[in-house]
Amino acid sequence: MRACRAGPHHKELRDGERPVRWRAMATLRMFASAREAAGTGRAEFAGATVGDVLAAAITTFGDGFARVLPSCKVWVNGEAADPNDPVGVGDEVAVLPPVSGGC
């Protein structure tokens, strides 16, 4: 075995094993129907981009969440975002379904 030098935490690796790179955790906030489909309003996911975070959420929350997502707006730290936008530690990705209402 050899030590992995990929980061501040070292892990013993078996011969031929590749080091696991530590990935940033972004907070995913979900509202209205997205929250209902996920069964929670908040979760953390590792990912380098908005698309990575949303893909991890679909894997975790399933088909119901995947069906709601195309109609939603996605924001990162209060600004409109697209799937290729980078995310990092402490970033907040918000999933906002369309809202209707009135009197």
Side-chain angles (χ1 to χ4, degrees):
M1 289 191 188
R2 67 195 191 297
C4 168
R5 303 283 185 224
H9 304 288
H10 299 293
K11 175 186 176 219
E12 291 297 316
L13 299 175
R14 298 186 201 307
D15 287 336
E17 188 177 26
R18 297 174 59 187
V20 175
R21 297 187 189 262
W22 296 96
R23 295 176 62 180
M25 298 293 279
T27 300
L28 180 66
R29 300 275 319 268
M30 296 152 287
F31 299 90
S33 60
R35 181 182 61 234
E36 291 173 19
T40 185
R42 172 185 235 118
E44 288 190 349
F45 292 101
T49 66
V50 170
D52 293 342
V53 170
L54 295 177
I58 289 169
T59 299
T60 300
F61 301 132
D63 292 338
F65 183 76
R67 282 191 295 275
V68 170
L69 201 52
S71 66
C72 295
K73 299 289 184 190
V74 178
W75 295 68
V76 174
N77 300 328
E79 295 186 24
D82 72 38
N84 296 318
D85 287 344
V87 293
V89 175
D91 283 340
E92 183 177 88
V93 179
V95 177
L96 303 161
V99 178
S100 64
C103 297

